[in-house]
Amino acid sequence: MSKMKKELFKLALHGLKGKKRSSLLTVIILTISFAAVLVTLCITGSIIKTNAEYRLNTYGAWYGAIPYGIKGDAEFLSTVNGIGEIGAATVYGQAVSKSGVAVTYVGSADGNLLKIGRIELQDGEFPQHDSEIALEASALSKLGKNYTIGQEISFTVLFDAESEESVEGIKIPVECTFTLCGVLRESSSLWQLSENKLSKPICGALVTNTAGENLRTKAIETAAQMNEQSTGGAMHVSVAVANRQFFFEVDEAERGQAAESINAYMQKTRRGTNADKAVCINTAAFSDKGEADYHSFYICLILAVTVIAVVCIYAVQLRKQVRGIALFRSIGITKRQLRLLLTFETLILCLPALGAGTLLGTIITKLILKLFVYAKSAPVQVDVPLSQLLLI
Protein backbone atom coordinates (compact mmCIF):
# COMPACT_ATOMS: atom_id res chain seq x y z
CA MET A 1 0.00 0.00 0.00
CA SER A 2 1.47 3.35 -1.07
CA LYS A 3 1.91 6.24 1.31
CA MET A 4 -1.09 8.04 -0.24
CA LYS A 5 -3.35 5.03 0.27
CA LYS A 6 -2.23 4.78 3.89
CA GLU A 7 -3.07 8.42 4.43
CA LEU A 8 -6.48 8.00 2.76
CA PHE A 9 -7.18 4.96 4.96
CA LYS A 10 -6.34 6.96 8.11
CA LEU A 11 -8.49 9.81 6.81
CA ALA A 12 -11.43 7.42 6.22
CA LEU A 13 -11.07 5.99 9.72
CA HIS A 14 -10.93 9.49 11.22
CA GLY A 15 -13.99 10.54 9.22
CA LEU A 16 -16.04 7.60 10.51
CA LYS A 17 -15.08 8.45 14.08
CA GLY A 18 -16.49 11.90 13.48
CA LYS A 19 -19.89 10.45 12.60
CA LYS A 20 -20.10 7.61 15.09
CA ARG A 21 -23.87 7.51 15.24
CA SER A 22 -24.48 6.99 11.52
CA SER A 23 -21.49 4.66 11.23
CA LEU A 24 -22.76 2.46 14.06
CA LEU A 25 -26.25 2.45 12.55
CA THR A 26 -24.81 1.44 9.18
CA VAL A 27 -22.82 -1.41 10.77
CA ILE A 28 -25.94 -2.65 12.59
CA ILE A 29 -28.01 -2.59 9.40
CA LEU A 30 -25.28 -4.37 7.43
CA THR A 31 -24.86 -6.95 10.21
CA ILE A 32 -28.60 -7.70 10.26
CA SER A 33 -28.65 -7.84 6.46
CA PHE A 34 -25.68 -10.19 6.25
CA ALA A 35 -27.28 -12.38 8.92
CA ALA A 36 -30.57 -12.45 6.98
CA VAL A 37 -28.75 -13.34 3.76
CA LEU A 38 -26.81 -16.09 5.54
CA VAL A 39 -29.99 -17.58 7.03
CA THR A 40 -31.59 -17.55 3.57
CA LEU A 41 -28.51 -19.20 2.08
CA CYS A 42 -28.07 -21.74 4.87
CA ILE A 43 -31.56 -22.92 5.70
CA THR A 44 -32.16 -25.25 2.73
CA GLY A 45 -28.61 -26.58 2.57
CA SER A 46 -28.56 -27.12 6.33
CA ILE A 47 -31.84 -29.06 6.23
CA ILE A 48 -30.47 -31.30 3.45
CA LYS A 49 -27.21 -31.83 5.36
CA THR A 50 -29.00 -32.51 8.66
CA ASN A 51 -31.41 -34.94 6.99
CA ALA A 52 -28.46 -36.77 5.43
CA GLU A 53 -26.72 -37.04 8.81
CA TYR A 54 -29.96 -38.19 10.44
CA ARG A 55 -30.39 -40.95 7.85
CA LEU A 56 -26.81 -42.13 8.36
CA ASN A 57 -27.31 -42.23 12.13
CA THR A 58 -30.59 -44.12 11.72
CA TYR A 59 -29.85 -46.55 8.89
CA GLY A 60 -26.09 -46.79 9.16
CA ALA A 61 -23.32 -45.17 7.09
CA TRP A 62 -22.55 -48.42 5.22
CA TYR A 63 -23.35 -48.30 1.51
CA GLY A 64 -23.55 -52.02 0.70
CA ALA A 65 -24.09 -55.28 2.57
CA ILE A 66 -23.92 -59.03 2.06
CA PRO A 67 -26.36 -60.48 4.63
CA TYR A 68 -25.35 -64.10 3.93
CA GLY A 69 -21.58 -64.20 3.66
CA ILE A 70 -19.41 -67.13 2.61
CA LYS A 71 -15.71 -67.86 2.76
CA GLY A 72 -13.77 -65.53 0.52
CA ASP A 73 -16.23 -62.61 0.59
CA ALA A 74 -14.13 -60.39 2.86
CA GLU A 75 -10.98 -61.03 0.82
CA PHE A 76 -12.78 -60.20 -2.43
CA LEU A 77 -14.33 -57.01 -1.03
CA SER A 78 -10.91 -55.75 0.00
CA THR A 79 -9.80 -55.88 -3.68
CA VAL A 80 -12.71 -53.85 -5.11
CA ASN A 81 -11.88 -50.27 -6.11
CA GLY A 82 -13.61 -47.67 -3.94
CA ILE A 83 -14.32 -49.99 -1.00
CA GLY A 84 -13.48 -48.31 2.31
CA GLU A 85 -14.03 -49.81 5.74
CA ILE A 86 -15.44 -53.35 5.85
CA GLY A 87 -17.41 -54.32 8.96
CA ALA A 88 -18.44 -57.86 9.88
CA ALA A 89 -21.15 -59.36 12.09
CA THR A 90 -21.83 -62.95 13.14
CA VAL A 91 -25.41 -63.99 13.89
CA TYR A 92 -25.65 -67.06 16.14
CA GLY A 93 -29.32 -67.50 16.97
CA GLN A 94 -32.64 -66.00 18.02
CA ALA A 95 -33.28 -64.92 21.60
CA VAL A 96 -36.71 -65.76 23.03
CA SER A 97 -38.16 -65.00 26.44
CA LYS A 98 -39.14 -67.62 29.00
CA SER A 99 -42.72 -67.35 27.73
CA GLY A 100 -41.61 -68.02 24.15
CA VAL A 101 -41.84 -64.43 22.82
CA ALA A 102 -39.34 -63.70 20.04
CA VAL A 103 -37.01 -60.96 21.29
CA THR A 104 -34.11 -60.34 18.88
CA TYR A 105 -31.06 -62.08 17.38
CA VAL A 106 -27.83 -62.65 19.27
CA GLY A 107 -24.49 -62.07 17.60
CA SER A 108 -21.22 -60.19 17.59
CA ALA A 109 -19.92 -57.20 15.63
CA ASP A 110 -16.39 -55.98 15.01
CA GLY A 111 -15.16 -52.43 15.55
CA ASN A 112 -15.48 -51.48 11.88
CA LEU A 113 -19.18 -52.38 11.86
CA LEU A 114 -19.81 -50.40 15.04
CA LYS A 115 -18.19 -47.43 13.29
CA ILE A 116 -19.74 -47.54 9.81
CA GLY A 117 -23.05 -48.81 11.17
CA ARG A 118 -23.07 -45.97 13.69
CA ILE A 119 -24.18 -48.47 16.31
CA GLU A 120 -24.26 -46.45 19.49
CA LEU A 121 -25.18 -46.91 23.13
CA GLN A 122 -27.92 -45.17 25.04
CA ASP A 123 -26.17 -46.22 28.23
CA GLY A 124 -23.29 -48.39 29.43
CA GLU A 125 -20.62 -49.91 27.18
CA PHE A 126 -20.10 -52.64 24.61
CA PRO A 127 -19.30 -56.18 25.88
CA GLN A 128 -15.71 -56.59 27.02
CA HIS A 129 -16.10 -59.91 28.83
CA ASP A 130 -17.72 -63.18 27.79
CA SER A 131 -20.35 -62.86 30.52
CA GLU A 132 -21.60 -59.48 29.25
CA ILE A 133 -24.29 -58.50 26.73
CA ALA A 134 -25.55 -55.26 25.19
CA LEU A 135 -29.22 -55.22 24.20
CA GLU A 136 -31.46 -52.84 22.30
CA ALA A 137 -34.01 -51.05 24.45
CA SER A 138 -36.89 -52.77 22.62
CA ALA A 139 -35.38 -56.20 23.36
CA LEU A 140 -35.15 -55.38 27.06
CA SER A 141 -38.80 -54.34 27.02
CA LYS A 142 -39.83 -57.65 25.43
CA LEU A 143 -37.92 -59.47 28.17
CA GLY A 144 -39.75 -57.43 30.79
CA LYS A 145 -36.53 -55.79 31.96
CA ASN A 146 -35.65 -52.17 32.73
CA TYR A 147 -32.48 -50.44 31.54
CA THR A 148 -30.43 -50.93 34.72
CA ILE A 149 -26.81 -51.70 33.86
CA GLY A 150 -25.35 -54.66 35.77
CA GLN A 151 -28.54 -56.72 36.09
CA GLU A 152 -28.66 -60.37 35.05
CA ILE A 153 -30.57 -61.17 31.85
CA SER A 154 -31.76 -64.75 31.24
CA PHE A 155 -33.30 -66.03 28.02
CA THR A 156 -33.18 -68.89 25.52
CA VAL A 157 -31.22 -68.80 22.26
CA LEU A 158 -32.69 -70.89 19.43
CA PHE A 159 -30.16 -72.20 16.91
CA ASP A 160 -31.14 -73.34 13.42
CA ALA A 161 -30.87 -77.10 12.90
CA GLU A 162 -29.63 -78.91 9.80
CA SER A 163 -30.40 -82.49 8.83
CA GLU A 164 -30.46 -84.80 5.85
CA GLU A 165 -33.95 -85.81 6.89
CA SER A 166 -37.02 -83.58 6.59
CA VAL A 167 -36.91 -81.80 9.94
CA GLU A 168 -37.93 -78.30 8.94
CA GLY A 169 -38.75 -75.94 11.77
CA ILE A 170 -36.65 -77.72 14.38
CA LYS A 171 -34.67 -75.38 16.63
CA ILE A 172 -31.97 -76.23 19.13
CA PRO A 173 -32.50 -74.32 22.41
CA VAL A 174 -29.73 -73.10 24.71
CA GLU A 175 -30.46 -71.48 28.07
CA CYS A 176 -28.14 -68.62 28.94
CA THR A 177 -27.61 -65.80 31.44
CA PHE A 178 -25.63 -62.63 30.82
CA THR A 179 -24.88 -59.42 32.69
CA LEU A 180 -26.28 -56.33 31.00
CA CYS A 181 -23.38 -54.00 30.19
CA GLY A 182 -25.02 -51.66 27.69
CA VAL A 183 -28.29 -50.49 26.18
CA LEU A 184 -28.06 -50.19 22.39
CA ARG A 185 -29.78 -47.56 20.30
CA GLU A 186 -32.37 -49.16 18.01
CA SER A 187 -30.94 -50.35 14.67
CA SER A 188 -31.82 -53.99 13.91
CA SER A 189 -35.43 -53.18 12.96
CA LEU A 190 -34.45 -50.06 11.00
CA TRP A 191 -31.73 -51.37 8.70
CA GLN A 192 -33.11 -52.46 5.34
CA LEU A 193 -31.47 -55.42 3.59
CA SER A 194 -32.75 -55.45 0.03
CA GLU A 195 -31.97 -58.56 -2.07
CA ASN A 196 -31.99 -60.57 1.17
CA LYS A 197 -33.45 -63.76 -0.36
CA LEU A 198 -32.80 -65.92 2.71
CA SER A 199 -34.27 -63.31 5.09
CA LYS A 200 -31.17 -63.19 7.24
CA PRO A 201 -31.74 -61.00 10.34
CA ILE A 202 -29.58 -58.36 12.02
CA CYS A 203 -28.37 -58.61 15.61
CA GLY A 204 -30.11 -56.62 18.33
CA ALA A 205 -28.09 -58.28 21.10
CA LEU A 206 -24.29 -58.14 21.05
CA VAL A 207 -21.91 -60.50 22.85
CA THR A 208 -18.21 -61.23 22.42
CA ASN A 209 -17.09 -63.66 19.71
CA THR A 210 -16.00 -66.13 22.38
CA ALA A 211 -19.37 -65.94 24.14
CA GLY A 212 -21.13 -66.59 20.84
CA GLU A 213 -18.95 -69.61 20.09
CA ASN A 214 -19.55 -70.90 23.62
CA LEU A 215 -23.29 -70.73 23.01
CA ARG A 216 -22.85 -72.60 19.74
CA THR A 217 -20.81 -75.29 21.51
CA LYS A 218 -23.66 -75.76 23.97
CA ALA A 219 -26.07 -75.99 21.03
CA ILE A 220 -23.93 -78.73 19.47
CA GLU A 221 -24.03 -80.65 22.78
CA THR A 222 -27.82 -80.20 22.93
CA ALA A 223 -28.16 -81.44 19.33
CA ALA A 224 -26.16 -84.58 20.24
CA GLN A 225 -28.51 -85.24 23.17
CA MET A 226 -31.54 -84.78 20.91
CA ASN A 227 -30.11 -87.32 18.47
CA GLU A 228 -29.54 -89.84 21.26
CA GLN A 229 -33.05 -89.41 22.60
CA SER A 230 -34.75 -89.81 19.22
CA THR A 231 -36.56 -93.14 18.75
CA GLY A 232 -34.21 -95.65 17.17
CA GLY A 233 -31.91 -92.90 16.02
CA ALA A 234 -34.52 -91.83 13.46
CA MET A 235 -33.44 -88.20 13.67
CA HIS A 236 -30.01 -86.77 13.23
CA VAL A 237 -29.66 -82.98 13.46
CA SER A 238 -26.67 -80.68 13.61
CA VAL A 239 -26.26 -77.00 14.37
CA ALA A 240 -26.27 -74.73 11.33
CA VAL A 241 -23.18 -72.67 10.68
CA ALA A 242 -23.34 -69.19 12.24
CA ASN A 243 -24.35 -66.57 9.69
CA ARG A 244 -21.56 -64.22 8.69
CA GLN A 245 -22.50 -60.76 7.37
CA PHE A 246 -20.45 -58.01 5.73
CA PHE A 247 -21.14 -54.28 5.55
CA PHE A 248 -18.90 -51.86 3.68
CA GLU A 249 -18.37 -48.26 2.62
CA VAL A 250 -17.89 -47.25 -1.03
CA ASP A 251 -16.51 -43.96 -2.35
CA GLU A 252 -19.30 -42.00 -4.04
CA ALA A 253 -17.54 -41.84 -7.42
CA GLU A 254 -16.95 -45.63 -7.46
CA ARG A 255 -20.36 -46.87 -6.28
CA GLY A 256 -21.80 -47.92 -9.64
CA GLN A 257 -18.68 -49.80 -10.73
CA ALA A 258 -18.21 -51.38 -7.30
CA ALA A 259 -21.81 -52.68 -7.26
CA GLU A 260 -21.35 -54.25 -10.71
CA SER A 261 -18.13 -55.99 -9.64
CA ILE A 262 -19.65 -57.35 -6.43
CA ASN A 263 -22.82 -58.54 -8.19
CA ALA A 264 -20.76 -60.39 -10.81
CA TYR A 265 -18.75 -62.04 -8.03
CA MET A 266 -21.88 -63.06 -6.10
CA GLN A 267 -23.59 -64.52 -9.19
CA LYS A 268 -20.52 -66.63 -9.78
CA THR A 269 -20.00 -67.82 -6.19
CA ARG A 270 -23.71 -68.42 -5.38
CA ARG A 271 -24.63 -70.20 -8.61
CA GLY A 272 -27.02 -73.10 -7.96
CA THR A 273 -28.06 -71.87 -4.49
CA ASN A 274 -30.91 -69.80 -3.07
CA ALA A 275 -28.48 -67.29 -1.59
CA ASP A 276 -28.35 -63.64 -2.65
CA LYS A 277 -26.81 -62.98 -6.03
CA ALA A 278 -26.86 -59.20 -5.68
CA VAL A 279 -25.47 -56.84 -3.07
CA CYS A 280 -27.86 -55.02 -0.70
CA ILE A 281 -27.68 -51.25 -1.25
CA ASN A 282 -28.44 -48.97 1.68
CA THR A 283 -31.00 -46.87 -0.21
CA ALA A 284 -32.60 -45.69 3.04
CA ALA A 285 -29.43 -43.81 3.98
CA PHE A 286 -28.27 -42.70 0.52
CA SER A 287 -31.53 -41.91 -1.27
CA ASP A 288 -31.74 -38.10 -1.02
CA LYS A 289 -29.81 -36.33 -3.77
CA GLY A 290 -31.50 -32.98 -3.22
CA GLU A 291 -29.56 -29.81 -3.86
CA ALA A 292 -29.87 -26.57 -1.98
CA ASP A 293 -32.04 -23.84 -3.49
CA TYR A 294 -30.70 -20.53 -2.31
CA HIS A 295 -33.90 -18.50 -2.97
CA SER A 296 -32.43 -15.81 -5.22
CA PHE A 297 -35.59 -13.65 -5.01
CA TYR A 298 -35.40 -13.35 -1.22
CA ILE A 299 -31.66 -12.66 -1.29
CA CYS A 300 -32.14 -9.89 -3.86
CA LEU A 301 -34.98 -8.47 -1.78
CA ILE A 302 -32.81 -8.40 1.36
CA LEU A 303 -29.95 -6.75 -0.52
CA ALA A 304 -32.31 -4.16 -2.04
CA VAL A 305 -33.68 -3.27 1.40
CA THR A 306 -30.10 -3.04 2.69
CA VAL A 307 -29.07 -0.66 -0.08
CA ILE A 308 -32.13 1.53 0.53
CA ALA A 309 -31.45 1.60 4.29
CA VAL A 310 -27.80 2.54 3.80
CA VAL A 311 -28.69 5.22 1.24
CA CYS A 312 -31.24 6.66 3.71
CA ILE A 313 -28.57 6.88 6.39
CA TYR A 314 -26.20 8.68 4.03
CA ALA A 315 -29.04 10.95 2.89
CA VAL A 316 -29.52 12.10 6.49
CA GLN A 317 -25.82 12.97 6.58
CA LEU A 318 -25.90 14.48 3.08
CA ARG A 319 -25.03 18.04 4.09
CA LYS A 320 -21.98 16.94 6.03
CA GLN A 321 -21.03 14.61 3.17
CA VAL A 322 -21.34 17.43 0.60
CA ARG A 323 -19.33 19.82 2.79
CA GLY A 324 -16.69 17.18 3.38
CA ILE A 325 -16.39 16.34 -0.30
CA ALA A 326 -16.20 20.05 -1.21
CA LEU A 327 -13.48 20.52 1.39
CA PHE A 328 -11.50 17.60 0.03
CA ARG A 329 -11.86 18.90 -3.52
CA SER A 330 -10.74 22.39 -2.41
CA ILE A 331 -7.47 21.01 -1.03
CA GLY A 332 -6.74 19.26 -4.31
CA ILE A 333 -7.90 15.68 -3.78
CA THR A 334 -8.64 13.98 -7.10
CA LYS A 335 -11.83 12.16 -8.01
CA ARG A 336 -9.93 8.86 -8.02
CA GLN A 337 -8.59 9.51 -4.53
CA LEU A 338 -12.08 10.51 -3.38
CA ARG A 339 -13.51 7.22 -4.68
CA LEU A 340 -10.73 5.34 -2.89
CA LEU A 341 -11.49 7.22 0.32
CA LEU A 342 -15.18 6.27 0.14
CA THR A 343 -14.19 2.67 -0.68
CA PHE A 344 -12.07 2.53 2.47
CA GLU A 345 -14.99 3.88 4.52
CA THR A 346 -17.26 1.20 3.08
CA LEU A 347 -14.76 -1.60 3.78
CA ILE A 348 -14.22 -0.43 7.34
CA LEU A 349 -17.97 -0.64 7.90
CA CYS A 350 -18.60 -3.85 5.92
CA LEU A 351 -15.84 -6.15 7.15
CA PRO A 352 -16.81 -6.19 10.86
CA ALA A 353 -20.49 -6.31 9.83
CA LEU A 354 -19.74 -9.33 7.61
CA GLY A 355 -18.01 -11.18 10.47
CA ALA A 356 -20.70 -10.33 13.02
CA GLY A 357 -23.49 -11.07 10.51
CA THR A 358 -22.01 -14.46 9.63
CA LEU A 359 -21.80 -15.42 13.31
CA LEU A 360 -25.31 -14.10 14.03
CA GLY A 361 -26.76 -15.81 10.94
CA THR A 362 -25.18 -19.14 11.86
CA ILE A 363 -26.62 -18.95 15.38
CA ILE A 364 -30.08 -17.95 14.09
CA THR A 365 -30.04 -20.78 11.50
CA LYS A 366 -29.13 -23.33 14.16
CA LEU A 367 -31.84 -22.05 16.51
CA ILE A 368 -34.48 -22.12 13.74
CA LEU A 369 -33.59 -25.70 12.85
CA LYS A 370 -33.45 -26.82 16.48
CA LEU A 371 -36.63 -25.14 17.65
CA PHE A 372 -38.93 -25.24 14.64
CA VAL A 373 -37.73 -28.02 12.30
CA TYR A 374 -36.09 -30.83 14.25
CA ALA A 375 -36.93 -30.15 17.90
CA LYS A 376 -34.12 -32.42 19.16
CA SER A 377 -35.03 -35.26 16.77
CA ALA A 378 -31.69 -34.98 14.96
CA PRO A 379 -28.27 -33.39 15.51
CA VAL A 380 -28.42 -30.13 13.54
CA GLN A 381 -25.77 -29.60 10.86
CA VAL A 382 -25.32 -26.00 9.64
CA ASP A 383 -24.12 -25.72 6.03
CA VAL A 384 -22.54 -22.33 5.27
CA PRO A 385 -22.06 -21.87 1.48
CA LEU A 386 -19.01 -19.60 1.71
CA SER A 387 -18.63 -19.03 -2.04
CA GLN A 388 -22.21 -17.75 -2.43
CA LEU A 389 -21.93 -15.67 0.73
CA LEU A 390 -18.68 -13.98 -0.36
CA LEU A 391 -20.11 -13.34 -3.84
CA ILE A 392 -23.12 -11.57 -2.37
Side-chain angles (χ1 to χ4, degrees), residues 160-175:
D160 290 333
E162 293 180 333
S163 176
E164 294 180 359
E165 297 85 14
S166 178
V167 290
E168 293 184 6
I170 289 183
K171 301 289 184 179
I172 301 170
V174 173
E175 303 293 330

Side-chain angles (χ1 to χ4, degrees), residues 260-322:
E260 289 181 11
S261 299
I262 298 170
N263 287 342
Y265 162 80
M266 293 181 70
Q267 289 170 9
K268 179 180 178 181
T269 56
R270 271 78 167 173
R271 186 177 295 129
T273 70
N274 294 326
D276 308 327
K277 296 179 178 62
V279 66
C280 296
I281 303 299
N282 191 1
T283 55
F286 295 94
S287 60
D288 189 357
K289 299 297 181 182
E291 295 183 356
D293 176 8
Y294 293 119
H295 308 295
S296 301
F297 171 76
Y298 297 108
I299 293 172
C300 291
L301 184 62
I302 292 168
L303 292 177
V305 172
T306 301
V307 171
I308 293 171
V310 172
V311 168
C312 288
I313 293 172
Y314 277 103
V316 172
Q317 300 291 327
L318 188 58
R319 282 186 183 175
K320 290 184 179 179
Q321 290 288 88
V322 170

